[in-house]
Amino acid sequence: MSVVYLAINERANKTWAVKEVRKDGVCDFEAVKQGLVVETDMLKKLNHPYLPSIIDVIDTEDSFLIVMDYIEGKSLQSVLKSGAQPYDLVIKWAMQLCDVLGYLHSREPAIIYRDMKPANVMLKPSGDITLIDFGTARTQKVGVMMSADTLCLGTAGFAAPEQFGGQGQSDARTDIF
């Protein structure tokens, strides 16, 4: 659906990630574009050390480009493939994830991430984490009594039961699950 490029601003000596979604590369470009607009609008309003920043959004006739922080490092998923990790690192990562989730959940309205899994946690060379991929995140529908506001989404083995539809509204507990 998309291609991500590494871009370098030579004057500022800064690297960026540029995500490109081409109109001719997806079946329903307008639907995909709408989802990306929601994702980028959400991230643009956030400012946290464990979240990437959106630098720019460029909407052209042929494609939709998102310029964002380049996150150097490895995914937690790839690190876990090498085996158990030292408990002090695991505790540090868990505390950072709790910090960023607390930040998201304290927004008005709360932001529910809905895709917590090792592949979406980047471990930077500094040892800190960055939570990536807000494609399924949404703001919580406060005060709305819905028995099932969540469509089937998420990754089997990681997603909370309500993410498979008909099980209730997703909320902060969904991210903790």
Side-chain angles (χ1 to χ4, degrees), residues 17 51-53 69-74 122-124 129-130 132:
L51 294 176
S53 295
D69 285 338
Y70 168 69
I71 310 300
E72 183 181 357
K74 297 178 180 180
M122 293 294 293
L123 300 175
K124 300 189 293 190
I129 62 107
T130 299
I132 61 169

Side-chain angles (χ1 to χ4, degrees), residues 16 23 34 39 42 54-55 60 71 74 81 85 95 118 122 126 130 137 163:
W16 306 110
K23 187 178 264 187
Q34 185 62 29
E39 178 182 353
M42 183 183 302
I54 299 294
I55 308 308
T60 70
I71 310 300
K74 297 178 180 180
K81 286 181 181 177
Q85 300 300 304
M95 289 178 66
M122 293 294 293
S126 67
T130 299
Q163 290 182 261

Side-chain angles (χ1 to χ4, degrees), residues 59-156:
D59 189 359
T60 70
E61 187 176 313
D62 298 328
S63 62
F64 189 78
L65 301 163
I66 305 168
V67 182
M68 63 189 104
D69 285 338
Y70 168 69
I71 310 300
E72 183 181 357
K74 297 178 180 180
S75 71
L76 180 57
Q77 178 179 348
S78 68
V79 170
L80 292 175
K81 286 181 181 177
S82 66
Q85 300 300 304
Y87 73 92
D88 56 329
L89 286 179
V90 173
I91 290 170
K92 177 182 175 180
W93 299 333
M95 289 178 66
Q96 290 178 356
L97 284 169
C98 288
D99 185 45
V100 72
L101 288 175
Y103 171 79
L104 294 172
H105 298 159
S106 68
R107 303 297 93 207
E108 285 295 330
I111 295 172
I112 310 304
Y113 179 67
R114 304 193 309 173
D115 202 15
M116 184 57 65
K117 61 185 178 183
N120 287 342
V121 178
M122 293 294 293
L123 300 175
K124 300 189 293 190
S126 67
D128 291 332
I129 62 107
T130 299
L131 189 60
I132 61 169
D133 192 357
F134 276 68
T136 60
R138 69 159 179 88
T139 56
Q140 187 174 5
K141 297 176 179 86
V142 179
V144 176
M145 296 302 294
M146 298 182 118
S147 62
D149 76 329
T150 302
L151 301 174
C152 294
L153 57 85
T155 303

